[in-house]
Amino acid sequence: MAPQTDHFGTAEYDTIVITHYRNDYEFLVRKETGWGVYHVMRDSLVVPCIYEDYYPKDRFATHGQLYFKSGENWFEHYHAKPGFNVLEGEERIRINSLWEAEKNKKQ
């Protein structure tokens, strides 16, 4: 029997959008629990749906990086590299500032 993990689950989401125009396998997804990334070929969540927000909203303006917010922390997901990078120091401050500016622009 295969080990159970929280990352596997039924592919039922409130919102599904592409992560990047060069990436046909991953989709940005939202459930009631938050934002995450679903990988079609793996049929699993490579980023669990636990993050309160993501940056940038314009996913075509990046080179494939998505940043996920959890409290004061930011995590970087890059489609060609498994896992997360926790942003620290100036990089965390920079992404948080860009996210705040994007959020305020909408209001």
Side-chain angles (χ1 to χ4, degrees), residues 13-100:
Y13 306 103
D14 301 331
T15 305
I16 301 174
V17 292
I18 63 171
T19 56
H20 191 261
Y21 68 94
R22 294 181 185 160
N23 186 351
D24 296 334
Y25 300 113
E26 289 187 348
F27 293 86
L28 185 63
V29 294
R30 176 161 176 73
K31 287 186 174 186
E32 289 179 11
T33 53
W35 290 98
V37 175
Y38 177 78
H39 193 287
V40 173
M41 299 303 285
R42 294 181 192 162
D43 191 23
S44 65
L45 290 168
V46 293
V47 175
C49 290
I50 60 171
Y51 296 95
E52 62 197 66
D53 207 353
Y54 68 93
Y55 174 82
K57 299 299 183 196
D58 180 4
R59 294 163 320 281
F60 303 104
T62 73
H63 295 287
Q65 291 94 344
L66 280 174
Y67 301 93
F68 290 91
K69 182 172 178 36
S70 177
E72 296 299 315
N73 295 318
W74 282 94
F75 302 86
E76 178 187 32
H77 170 71
Y78 182 63
H79 70 90
K81 186 168 116 180
F84 272 108
N85 289 328
V86 178
L87 300 183
E88 297 178 333
E90 290 182 18
E91 186 66 9
R92 183 184 69 78
I93 293 168
R94 184 180 75 82
I95 293 300
N96 198 63
S97 295
L98 292 169
W99 172 74
E100 285 285 345

